[in-house]
Amino acid sequence: MGAPIRSRLLDFVEPDPPAEHRPEQAPQPRHSTLLDLVEAAPPPRAAVDDRPAPKPGVPAYHTPVFVPSHQRSVAGTGRDGRPARVPFIVLELFSHPAHGTVAFAFTTPEKLVDALGEAQPWVAASLGPLAEGVHEQGVTVLLDPRVAPAERNWLPRDLVAFAQEVQR
């Protein structure tokens, strides 16, 4: 199947080391340790209250999803009192003719790449907390939305420009 599909933002931020400093072994694909933590987590406990189970066809509350987003930062003060950049994640919102402002969520990284392209940065989240968080802002989550062909939000050149801006 090959290497896992992931956001390519870091490919443009971290330059490759010079050839003479590269290790002899084949490089391992980088991946997020988030999934390692998920796999190591104990299974969820059964609900002990009277909350109803999801309706047929509705994903469970903690279903992992992949959400178009990107990093930003603001000027702040570090713990030592010196100026610092404080990073945060911005969810990318889209305009939908029937639903107004929406957040896209995809059940696999492959579906996200098929819809938005391989240059699209993303984060993994749980569907329930995502839906609750954006609902407070009047935003609806669309799960595995169909996107017009060739409609790309991020292109590789956009990542290059973004990486240069981040490095300033």
Side-chain angles (χ1 to χ4, degrees):
M1 180 171 188
I5 296 174
R6 58 180 172 76
S7 170
R8 295 187 58 212
L9 179 62
L10 293 179
D11 293 346
F12 298 97
V13 173
E14 299 173 10
D16 290 333
E20 63 271 7
H21 297 306
R22 289 192 186 147
E24 298 283 328
Q25 65 187 21
Q28 297 294 318
R30 293 184 307 221
H31 70 281
S32 169
T33 57
L34 178 64
L35 294 179
D36 296 338
L37 296 173
V38 170
E39 291 169 359
R45 294 181 299 176
V48 293
D49 55 19
D50 293 333
R51 288 183 290 176
K55 297 176 184 175
V58 175
Y61 186 85
H62 290 293
T63 299
V65 292
F66 304 89
V67 184
S69 61
H70 60 277
Q71 180 180 346
R72 288 286 185 205
S73 64
V74 295
T77 305
R79 291 185 182 154
D80 58 2
R82 292 188 298 183
R85 299 297 299 177
V86 179
F88 61 95
I89 300 295
V90 174
L91 296 181
E92 295 183 10
L93 303 178
F94 301 86
S95 180
H96 189 276
H99 301 288
T101 303
V102 298
F104 291 166
F106 298 88
T107 53
T108 66
E110 293 83 6
K111 288 181 179 180
L112 181 140
V113 169
D114 288 345
L116 300 175
E118 68 177 8
Q120 174 65 54
W122 53 268
V123 295
S126 290
L127 183 58
L130 170 69
E132 286 180 1
V134 298
H135 178 71
E136 294 172 2
Q137 305 301 317
V139 175
T140 302
V141 174
L142 294 183
L143 189 61
D144 291 330
R146 293 187 315 162
V147 178
E151 187 72 29
R152 299 295 184 240
N153 201 31
W154 286 73
L155 300 172
R157 69 176 177 261
D158 300 324
L159 291 177
V160 171
F162 182 74
Q164 290 170 345
E165 181 67 27
V166 168
Q167 291 176 340
R168 286 188 196 176

